[in-house]
Amino acid sequence: KMQKDIVPTDKHQHLYMNSINYAFNNMKLYRDTNTSGIRLYDRLHLDEVVYGTKYRGYDTSDVFKLEESYVNSFDKNSVFLIVLVDEPANLVTRDDGLGFTADIAEMAKEKQLFIDAYSDSNIEQKILINIKNFTIQQVFNKVLYFVEDTY
């Protein structure tokens, strides 16, 4: 769980970017040793863009440079960014109490930050889905169709 009360310093920023770089390098290692050809990462770097800025006050612009480096190490047509968003009122009903944001207005801001991060991503094959009116099966089908149609 992230700490909200850390005051960022240059040392923190350096450690932060090193940890992001480490994560991307581990993904490259996984790519080289994974025989299935399928890689799934749950909100990997978009979390860092949103929460690194919001809670740590870090400049996260380098995250997309690292993303670009990572994506360029693959066939670009085989890398997909799939972002699911929901309405803040729906998120509140599913909240487990472990997150930092419980206020609907703050959740709306975070949702927009994720949409902005999605837009800023260098990944060419991407889709943003508001799951507001979809069942789990409908979301799955939409994602599957997107991947099959694009790949």
Side-chain angles (χ1 to χ4, degrees):
K1 190 170 180 177
M2 295 181 300
Q3 285 184 274
K4 290 183 0 181
D5 57 350
I6 292 177
V7 177
T9 64
D10 287 341
K11 180 181 176 183
H12 288 116
Q13 177 74 21
H14 178 72
L15 291 171
Y16 167 75
M17 288 312 299
N18 280 343
S19 67
I20 297 299
N21 195 29
Y22 178 78
F24 276 102
N25 283 331
N26 276 342
M27 290 187 312
K28 287 180 183 177
L29 175 64
Y30 179 70
R31 176 207 61 206
D32 295 337
T33 59
N34 175 16
T35 58
S36 73
I38 297 172
R39 292 155 216 83
L40 298 175
Y41 307 107
D42 180 21
R43 298 184 304 176
L44 176 73
H45 61 304
L46 297 190
D47 265 9
E48 294 304 325
V49 171
V50 171
Y51 299 123
T53 301
K54 182 175 180 177
Y55 293 119
R56 296 181 201 91
Y58 292 159
D59 173 10
T60 58
S61 58
D62 286 342
V63 171
F64 290 115
K65 292 176 188 170
L66 292 169
E67 174 200 69
E68 185 173 20
S69 171
Y70 176 69
V71 169
N72 286 338
S73 70
F74 291 96
D75 170 6
K76 286 185 179 185
N77 293 322
S78 69
V79 178
F80 301 91
L81 176 62
I82 301 163
V83 177
L84 308 178
V85 295
D86 199 353
E87 298 306 310
N90 293 341
L91 295 173
V92 168
T93 65
R94 295 192 309 268
D95 186 31
D96 60 7
L98 299 175
F100 291 127
T101 309
D103 177 68
I104 289 181
E106 279 300 307
M107 284 186 178
K109 288 178 188 175
E110 280 185 11
K111 174 185 173 182
Q112 187 57 52
L113 290 172
F114 273 100
I115 292 170
D116 293 345
Y118 163 87
S119 297
D120 291 342
S121 171
N122 299 300
I123 297 173
E124 294 175 12
Q125 317 297 336
K126 57 185 176 180
I127 186 170
L128 176 74
I129 303 170
N130 187 331
I131 64 170
K132 175 183 174 182
N133 296 315
F134 293 114
T135 65
I136 292 171
Q137 186 63 51
Q138 289 170 321
V139 172
F140 175 78
N141 290 342
K142 191 170 184 81
V143 168
L144 187 60
Y145 177 76
F146 165 72
V147 171
E148 288 177 342
D149 190 49
T150 307
Y151 192 65

